[in-house]
Amino acid sequence: MPIIKSLVIPLLFSLLLSCSARPDITDLIAESRLAIENADYPKAQLKALEAESLMTDDSPIHLKESLARLNGIILYNQNIRDKAHKHLQQAFDYASEMGDSTLMCINMFNLALCDTLPDNGIRHFELATTLAECIGNDHIQAVALEKLAFIYIQTKDFINARKFLDESIKVRGDNGAKNLEIILTQCELWLAEGNIDSAFDGYESIPNDSLNIYGKLTKATALFDILYKKGDYRRALAYRDSIQEYNDSISRMDGTQRVNAIEESYQLKIKKEKERFQLLLWLSISYIVITLVVIYVIIKNLRLKRAQIELMEKIKVLNVRISELMSSGDNPELHDMPSVEDPDSISSLIKQKFELSLKIFSGQSQAGLLKKLNFIKDFTASNKIELKAIYDALIGQFSSCCADLRQAFPNMTNDDCIYSTLVFVGCSKEIISAVMMSSDEALRRRKSRIKQKLPESIFHFFFSK
């Protein structure tokens, strides 16, 4: 229907538009990854949080893995290894569930980087080495072997340290010796074994600009220790200042408070958005319900009007037939009163007209008011006003019927016709007494007189309900 379309379609369009404006999880993950590449970790975290808020149990597992890995990388780069470890473990579990060896290898390597206990680091790097070898990823295999060597140096297991360092160089091939991680680990091993001169020369050969903050700290700390042991205190003091500076930089990198602040602000934002969404949802539901109610009322009224028009057309036909019988003087009820009623007789036509008029009245508001007043015994002033409205509606609807009844049966008075009509429509005794201002006894006598004035069939039509 045009009315329904004009009311509902704009609402549906606005809802679809608001839904389509929501960002896609894939796009948010891509934006977070780009922010990581630009070292903008707060932005990366915000995009990851937004993607996580859109994630559901039914979301594709590859998206869950990507998001968990991103969260782990973001937190690792902000030096929050405990939380990073949790997310990277989830990423590894998702990769295992998918059976993706490459992702399993990457996540296992990242997971090992977050380990703070040597035993866990050794176990995870060994797994990463095995996985990298299986998928033919020489880079991850070489780096994992180098990390294993570094852990064994920290635990003073120099035999295994040398073994894994040599394996790392072997996997890297000709360029292995030029790799910064290899050189740093080799220098660490020389220093741990007491080969101070080789370690010093090795550290000195590494350009500072090629190292990250952790590499710079490792180099400065090692050179300080070597120079201090050699008794070159003046040069050692210079490195000590650098060590303090690098430690301060690493401390500033600890993003725990920043991450917590971002998470709290985002949760507050999500809470407000949910409240706003719920408000819009309830407003939309209310709008739809009200719209449907209005549509229902409109359709109901249209049907009622159509039905009333049809009833009025039928009454017009009856009026023509009644008028024809009246004008011809053919009125069997006044003369022989037949025992078997003719469908085209005056009585039959009048009864049909009363029935059709009752159907029309039933669709009016006064019909509902009448049902309510039928349960009241003592009427108040406001009830009497309502009674007058009902009486006026009944007179207006049944006046033509009463006129036909009086013309067909001249002995019937106007009050007789009104009383018969009130009984026919289902008015209670109290209502009839109130509107006709008659006692119960007077009404009984009137009914008795009406019985003598009407044929039995039409009398029962009015009073047998």
Side-chain angles (χ1 to χ4, degrees), residues 1-8 288-310 363:
M1 293 180 64
I3 296 176
I4 299 177
K5 290 182 179 179
S6 63
L7 292 173
V8 177
I288 292 172
V289 170
I290 292 172
T291 301
L292 292 176
V293 170
V294 170
I295 292 171
Y296 171 77
V297 171
I298 292 173
I299 293 174
K300 183 179 179 181
N301 288 336
L302 289 174
R303 288 179 177 175
L304 180 61
K305 287 181 180 180
R306 188 182 298 113
Q308 288 180 338
I309 291 172
E310 292 175 356

Side-chain angles (χ1 to χ4, degrees), residues 158-212:
F158 304 135
I159 295 175
N160 274 321
R162 173 58 63 189
K163 169 190 170 185
F164 287 113
L165 186 60
D166 291 342
E167 288 183 10
S168 177
I169 295 172
K170 182 180 178 181
V171 171
R172 287 183 183 274
D174 295 337
N175 296 324
K178 297 180 182 180
N179 187 273
L180 288 176
E181 286 82 4
I182 294 291
I183 297 172
L184 282 171
T185 305
Q186 178 67 75
C187 292
E188 283 287 316
L189 182 56
W190 282 329
L191 188 61
E193 292 175 335
N195 191 349
I196 295 176
D197 292 334
S198 296
F200 184 82
D201 292 339
Y203 281 120
E204 280 279 274
S205 68
I206 303 174
N208 240 29
D209 294 342
S210 63
L211 298 172
N212 60 22

Side-chain angles (χ1 to χ4, degrees), residues 276-295:
R276 178 174 172 273
F277 176 76
Q278 288 177 352
L279 177 61
L280 291 174
L281 179 63
W282 282 113
L283 288 174
S284 300
I285 292 173
S286 301
Y287 178 83
I288 292 172
V289 170
I290 292 172
T291 301
L292 292 176
V293 170
V294 170
I295 292 171

